[in-house]
């Protein structure tokens, strides 16, 4: 590496841009494998989507599903800090249409060898004390679950540090230095960091940063919102959702749920603007009160919004940048919290071995967009509204 | 252009009405603004959350009432009448045809900005006991939400009877419903002294004021008025603990003695109530001369959203302003004149609306050092470890050691113990990061009682001025609201029809074995079963 150059002496073997769950998990697995790694984060770790999500961990549509399921129960021990992971989940349908939809998920999971039990309304009410008379049916997933995003992010970060890795917060990546098809250093507002390998895991900023390296990553940014209530008595299983909502009861007892319309936005030029939420919180509240009628009196005490980038098909890109020798790009396309233990490990293997040993992630390659229509965003209706002054 | 059916595009909100000028808060500043604007022909809606329902007060919202509301607060009609009596200008407002809505809280302001663009116009969320929540649109708003008190922990401060100065003044004056006979006042700021004088005037006996500093910090004339009534300021002192009884506070132990009292009134810091503004995304900055974090305002008192003006205590608090409501009223009228002009009023404004609001004095008292000193003395030097965050039961030590909450029963082994400096890097500690990890400030009172204490604790621990610690974020709804109340009365059918737990992208959730090798938009013509998780 470029350690002889005093100007860029503070680098590491692998420099990761982005201290969200994707970058931090990759850093954890790299540090665990003995690699010298730095994560560079513009704000505080997990300040963006990684600290604003629903904490759900059951992604049976993904090739990383099996690894996601294998790793979550081990994460507290692996990281050495609590993630508040709790296994299992109950998904409640309030009508036949919802049941038909949710049954597709059940078929996916069962097809991969995971157990799902069907519940009648009475069984749902027994397992979910806050549920009401309006239950149509339920599914008890004997897999998946949820974790606390804030605690998980910090657990990754501390685990990286405990293994000799560095996490630099409040440091903005502004550019890169290249020598031919090699990225040799990362430029920031706090100096330049040499690298043997670069990982871009900057969420909504990934495309803008990769464009600086001549790599085109098609994504569009959107806002999604959640609400949380005051704490309620703990239900036996926290992973309760359905009725078009995702979310959970936290271990403290709060109900945290999201769902509903998103809004397409321009990627920020200078990340760090406000993340206001909109009156859509009303519609989320309505559906939580329907899903768990015995919680209808519970008070909403916060709402928030997060920004997430989405690829044209909504699936992750985890790939080596094709035109560069030493750069890995990773966007989880809006669904990256639950998969993070597995996505980070896949990134670690891509960086170190050039391929992933435990899952077929060929579906995550960038070249799948080879034939993509140039106006794909307009064709899908993903263009932001113009901001009237 | 195709439109994404699951996005906000084409969706509408359940809007119950439109306000040309919405004034939030009917204290001196808001009332003056509303009356002035109405006089200039503007159609004005004036909302105020008072009288606050008993149950809301019991949750220390919006002020720290310390459970010392008498039962009369439950009588809504009596409270309405009481309010009209205590604010005669409300009658003028009614007479001018202002749409005055008492008992109506504003829980959110929503304005388009870079990361939220879909609303036709600015929106305000309102809620009242009878009708639940509703949304209104507005052209302009004047925010005059006033103040609340900095909380201060000491052993026993969770007992009924421990309350904030602004809450005590409101209960004793405006509500005539303060349940207490003898008060100990903490602090010797102008606001503490005003609370002492107000409470005395309403028949509460003042045991004394307690000040940790060597000398009283408030204005000499207020001090003289207190002395004339025989009220002493005990300096170099603090409350060591509360003597609890059946109904809460029965006395306090201070350095060198014991005092009988049933009220302990915290007057160490009056804090601008900026929750609505901060949650909407207004730029705010710390200003020592204005009492803490206040919105950045231009010369017309416009915030970073040009449609939002800010007046009265929520724009800044200093001793002179606390003592003279005319300052807030001047701000209100000045802002109203500009609002009226922007709304196309052709009525000639009154002469007194041109008087520019007075700025705070140049040599302001250093609230940063003062608040830190109180937190050092009362919280950190306390013999036991009081909960700084009462809702989530988090002590100062747990905050500074960044301990996971107790419900996790997590025992960090030595080599894994993590403290504040580990989190920091080179930047000052961020209360939001601390909040996420310790839960301090995350409870139902929405951080009203602990926010400024945590700011002071972090400043003390990192040896920084109070001004270096960023604001802990505010989020809507800034008044806790039951799920069933929050639900829209009438939801747009398009929202209901297109509701999905996630973005509704067909290929996002197609099982991985079933997706095409190469994606194009046109490949979506082939439908595949999928379902959002
Ligand atoms: C409301 C909501 C609910 C969600 N629910 C779920 C769920 O239940 N389950 C699930 O699995 N997923 C969920 N997600 C998605 C999930 O949160 C994200 O996919 C995931 O957090 C992405 O992590 P990341 O690390 O890739 O990106 P991010 O979290 O966006 O992290 C990227 C980081 O890069 C940093 N960065 C950007 N530019 C720069 C720069 N120039 N220099 C330095 N640093 C930079 C940013 O500050 C940021 O911290 C949800 C998302 C939202 C918003």
């Amino acid at each position: 590496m470029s350690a002889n150059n005093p100007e860029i002496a503070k680098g590491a073997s692998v420099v990761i841009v982005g201290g969200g769950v994707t970058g931090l998990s990759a850093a954890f697995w790299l540090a665990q494998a003995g690699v010298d790694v730095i994560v560079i984060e513009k704000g505080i770790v997990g300040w963006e989507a990684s600290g604003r999500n629903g904490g759900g961990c059951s992604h049976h549509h993904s090739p990383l599903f099996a690894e996601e399921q294998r790793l979550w129960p081990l994460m507290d021990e692996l990281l050495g800090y609590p993630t508040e992971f709790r296994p299992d989940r109950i998904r409640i349908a309030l009508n036949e249409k919802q049941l038909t939809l949710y049954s597709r998920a059940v078929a996916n999971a069962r097809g991969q060898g995971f157990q799902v039990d069907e519940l009648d309304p009475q069984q749902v009410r027994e397992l979910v004390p806050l549920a009401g008379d309006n239950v149509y049916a339920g599914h008890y997933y004997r897999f998946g679950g949820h974790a606390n995003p804030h605690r998980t992010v910090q657990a990754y970060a501390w685990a990286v540090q405990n293994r000799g890795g560095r996490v630099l917060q409040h440091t903005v990546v502004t550019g890169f230095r290249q020598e031919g098809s090699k990225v040799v250093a990362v430029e920031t507002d706090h100096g330049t960091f040499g690298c043997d390998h670069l990982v871009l895991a900057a969420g909504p900023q990934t495309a803008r940063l990769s464009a600086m390296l001549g790599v085109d990553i098609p994504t569009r940014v959107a806002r999604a919102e959640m609400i949380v209530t005051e704490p309620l008595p703990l239900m036996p299983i926290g992973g309760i959702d359905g009725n078009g909502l995702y979310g959970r009861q936290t271990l403290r007892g709060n109900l945290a749920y999201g769902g509903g319309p998103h809004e397409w936005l321009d990627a920020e030029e200078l990340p760090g603007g406000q993340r206001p939420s909109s009156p859509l919180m009303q519609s989320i509240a309505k559906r939580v009160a329907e899903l768990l009628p015995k919680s209808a009196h519970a008070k909403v005490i916060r709402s928030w919004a997060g920004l997430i980038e989405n690829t044209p098909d909504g699936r992750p890109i985890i790939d080596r940048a094709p035109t560069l020798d030493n750069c890995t790009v990773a966007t989880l396309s809006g669904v990256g919290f639950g998969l993070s233990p597995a996505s980070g490990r896949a990134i670690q293997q891509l960086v170190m071995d050039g391929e992933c040993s435990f899952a077929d992630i060929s579906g995550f390659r960038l070249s799948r967009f080879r034939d993509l229509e140039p106006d794909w965003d307009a064709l899908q209706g993903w263009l932001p509204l113009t901001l009237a002054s | 252009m195709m439109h994404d059916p699951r996005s906000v595009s084409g969706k509408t909100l359940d809007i119950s009405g439109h306000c040309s000028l919405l004034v939030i808060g009917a204290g001196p500043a808001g009332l003056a603004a509303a009356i002035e604007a109405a006089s200039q022909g503007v159609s004005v809606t004036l909302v105020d959350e008072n009288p606050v329902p008993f149950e809301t007060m019991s949750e220390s919202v919006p002020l720290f009432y310390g459970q010392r509301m008498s039962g009369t607060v439950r009588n809504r009609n009596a409270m309405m009448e009481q309010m009209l009596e205590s604010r005669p200008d409300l009658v003028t407002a009614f007479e001018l045809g202002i749409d005055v809505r008492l008992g109506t809280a504003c829980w959110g302001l929503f304005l388009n900005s870079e990361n939220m663009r879909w609303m036709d116009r600015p929106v305000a969320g309102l809620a009242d006991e009878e009708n639940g929540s509703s949304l209104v649109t507005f052209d302009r708003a004047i925010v005059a939400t006033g103040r609340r008190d900095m909380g201060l922990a000491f052993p026993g401060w969770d007992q009924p009877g421990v309350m904030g100065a602004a809450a005590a003044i409101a209960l004793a004056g405006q509500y005539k419903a303060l349940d207490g006979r003898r008060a100990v006042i903490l602090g010797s700021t102008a606001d503490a002294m005003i609370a002492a004088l107000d409470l005395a005037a309403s028949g509460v006996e003042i045991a004394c004021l307690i000040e940790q500093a060597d000398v009283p910090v408030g204005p000499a004339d207020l001090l003289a008025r207190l002395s004339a009534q025989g009220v002493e300021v005990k300096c170099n002192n603090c409350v060591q603990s509360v003597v609890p009884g059946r109904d809460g506070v029965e006395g306090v132990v201070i350095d060198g003695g014991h005092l009988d009292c049933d009220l302990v009134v915290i007057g160490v810091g009056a804090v601008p109530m900026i929750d609505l503004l901060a949650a909407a995304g207004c730029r705010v900055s710390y200003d020592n001369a204005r009492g803490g974090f206040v919105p950045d305002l231009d010369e017309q008192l416009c915030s970073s959203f040009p449609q939002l003006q800010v007046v009265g205590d929520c724009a800044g608090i200093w001793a002179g302003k606390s003592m003279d409501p005319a300052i807030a009223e001047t701000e209100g009228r000045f802002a109203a004149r500009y609002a009226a002009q922007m709304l196309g009023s052709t009525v000639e404004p009154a002469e007194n609306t041109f008087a520019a609001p007075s700025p705070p004095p140049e040599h302001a008292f250093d609230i940063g050092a003062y608040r830190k000193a109180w937190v050092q003395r009362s919280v950190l030097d306390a013999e036991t470890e009081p909960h700084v965050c009462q809702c989530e039961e988090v002590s100062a030590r747990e905050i500074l050691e960044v301990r996971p909450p107790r419900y996790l029963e997590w025992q960090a082994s030595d080599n894994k113990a993590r403290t504040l400096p580990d989190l920091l890097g080179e930047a000052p500690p961020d209360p939001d990061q601390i909040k996420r990890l310790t839960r301090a400030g995350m409870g139902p009172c929405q951080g009203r009682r602990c926010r400024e204490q945590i700011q002071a604790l972090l400043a003390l621990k990192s040896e920084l001025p109070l001004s270096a610690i960023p604001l802990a974020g505010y989020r809507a709804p800034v008044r806790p609201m039951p799920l069933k109340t929050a639900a829209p009365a009438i939801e747009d059918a398009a929202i209901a029809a297109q509701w999905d737990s996630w973005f509704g992208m067909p290929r996002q959730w197609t099982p991985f074995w079933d997706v095409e090798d190469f994606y194009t938009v046109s490949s979506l013509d082939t439908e595949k079963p999928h379902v959002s998780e």
Side-chain angles (χ1 to χ4, degrees), chain A residues 21-22 49-50 53-62 64 68 89 203 224 246 307-311 313-318 331-343 364, chain B residues 500-505 507-509 531-533:
Chain A
V21 280
T22 307
S50 295
N53 61 76
C57 312
S58 1
H59 299 103
H60 41 73
H61 64 291
S62 171
L64 297 175
E68 177 192 48
R89 179 171 156 202
Y246 61 87
L307 302 183
I308 37 211
E309 75 290 1
N310 294 271
T311 65
D313 58 1
R315 307 180 76 88
I317 295 169
I318 301 180
T331 156
L332 269 287
S333 188
V335 189
F337 176 76
L339 291 170
S340 65
S343 63
F364 294 167
Chain B
D500 197 73
S501 49
W502 203 236
F503 283 53
M505 299 172 192
R507 287 300 181 270
Q508 181 157 48
W509 304 103
V531 55
S532 297
E533 272 301 335

Side-chain angles (χ1 to χ4, degrees), chain A residues 4 98 143 248 296:
Chain A
N4 312 341
Q98 288 178 358
F143 64 90
R248 69 193 204 282

Side-chain angles (χ1 to χ4, degrees), chain B residues 78 195 252-253 317 345 533:
Chain B
V252 289
V253 178
I317 300 172
S345 162
E533 272 301 335

Side-chain angles (χ1 to χ4, degrees), chain B residues 229-254:
Chain B
Q229 299 188 15
V231 175
E232 180 200 358
V233 181
K234 288 190 196 297
C235 289
N236 261 318
N237 213 317
C238 75
V239 169
Q240 290 177 359
S241 64
V242 162
V243 182
R246 196 170 50 98
D247 299 319
V249 178
E250 283 189 353
V252 289
V253 178
I254 60 169

Side-chain angles (χ1 to χ4, degrees), chain B residues 28-71:
Chain B
L31 263 170
I35 289 173
E36 181 56 40
S39 312
Q40 294 187 35
V42 174
S43 140
V44 180
T45 305
L46 172 63
V47 302
D48 193 294
E49 61 193 321
N50 291 289
V52 177
F54 188 89
E55 196 205 339
T56 311
M57 283 187 167
S58 319
E59 287 167 342
S60 303
V61 176
L63 302 177
F64 184 17
Y65 301 100
Q67 315 301 336
R68 282 293 195 250
M69 312 76 79
S70 68

Side-chain angles (χ1 to χ4, degrees), chain B residues 104-123:
Chain B
T104 301
C106 181
W107 49 264
L109 290 175
F110 304 96
L111 290 94
N112 284 346
S113 59
E114 191 188 5
N115 288 321
M116 186 167 73
R117 308 175 174 184
W118 68 290
M119 297 175 301
D120 294 335
R121 289 163 146 182
V123 172

Side-chain angles (χ1 to χ4, degrees), chain A residues 44-47 51 58-63 76 80-82 84 89 91 101-102 104-105 108 112 141 150-151 154 158 161-162 169-170 190 222-224 227 229-231 244-246 251-252 254 259-266 268 274-289 295-305 307-308 310 312-315 333-335 365 367-373 376 378-385 387, chain B residues 1-4 6-9 11 13-14 55 59 107 110-119 123 133-135 278-283 391-392 402 404-405 407-408 410 415-418 422-428 430 432-433 435-439 441-444 446 475-477 479-488 491 495-497 499-505 507-513 515 517-524 529-533:
Chain A
I44 57 180
V45 289
W47 184 246
S58 1
H59 299 103
H60 41 73
H61 64 291
S62 171
D76 280 15
Y81 300 93
E84 295 191 19
R89 179 171 156 202
R91 206 175 195 194
L101 271 177
Y102 297 168
R104 291 181 186 166
N108 277 353
Q112 295 174 81
Y141 292 18
H150 299 155
R151 234 168 277 294
Q154 197 65 55
W158 281 333
Q161 291 173 331
N162 287 342
Q169 302 185 98
H170 307 285
H190 282 66
R223 186 191 70 249
I227 64 169
T229 70
E230 64 186 323
L245 298 166
Y246 61 87
L251 286 192
R252 172 71 176 95
N254 315 73
H262 49 272
E263 178 169 357
W264 295 105
L265 298 165
D266 289 313
E268 295 173 323
Q274 296 281 354
R275 307 274 178 273
S277 38
S278 82
L280 284 172
M281 57 166 274
Q282 291 191 301
S283 290
I284 302 175
K286 168 181 153 71
R287 283 169 179 73
V288 177
S295 74
H297 65 282
K299 295 199 172 68
V300 183
I301 56 174
R302 275 188 299 282
S303 67
W304 64 86
L307 302 183
I308 37 211
N310 294 271
D313 58 1
R315 307 180 76 88
S333 188
V335 189
R365 68 203 194 291
S367 62
R368 72 180 185 275
F369 299 117
R370 187 190 67 189
D371 304 333
L372 186 68
E373 295 87 342
W376 63 275
L379 288 174
Q380 302 195 132
W382 289 17
L383 295 184
L385 303 161
L387 178 59
Chain B
M1 184 188 112
M2 159 70 192
H3 100 133
D4 171 2
R6 298 283 159 84
S7 75
V8 291
S9 140
K11 310 283 188 298
L13 292 167
D14 173 26
E55 196 205 339
E59 287 167 342
W107 49 264
F110 304 96
L111 290 94
N112 284 346
S113 59
E114 191 188 5
N115 288 321
M116 186 167 73
R117 308 175 174 184
W118 68 290
M119 297 175 301
V123 172
S133 78
S134 62
L135 301 178
C282 281
R283 267 200 310 277
C391 297
E392 298 289 322
V402 201
Y407 64 76
L408 280 176
W410 188 263
N415 67 332
K416 286 175 180 163
R418 287 293 179 171
D422 292 321
L423 281 176
L424 306 184
E426 286 160 28
D430 187 323
D432 277 325
Q433 194 170 15
K435 170 167 111 180
R436 290 164 163 217
L437 296 172
T438 64
R439 297 198 65 86
M442 273 206 170
Q446 301 178 311
R475 308 292 325 187
R479 298 291 177 273
M481 190 167 45
L483 286 166
K484 60 172 189 287
T485 309
E491 190 182 60
I495 292 185
W499 190 277
D500 197 73
S501 49
W502 203 236
F503 283 53
M505 299 172 192
R507 287 300 181 270
Q508 181 157 48
W509 304 103
T510 306
F512 64 92
W513 56 85
V515 289
D517 284 343
F518 294 93
Y519 177 81
T520 56
V521 180
S522 57
S523 66
L524 295 182
H530 61 91
V531 55
S532 297
E533 272 301 335

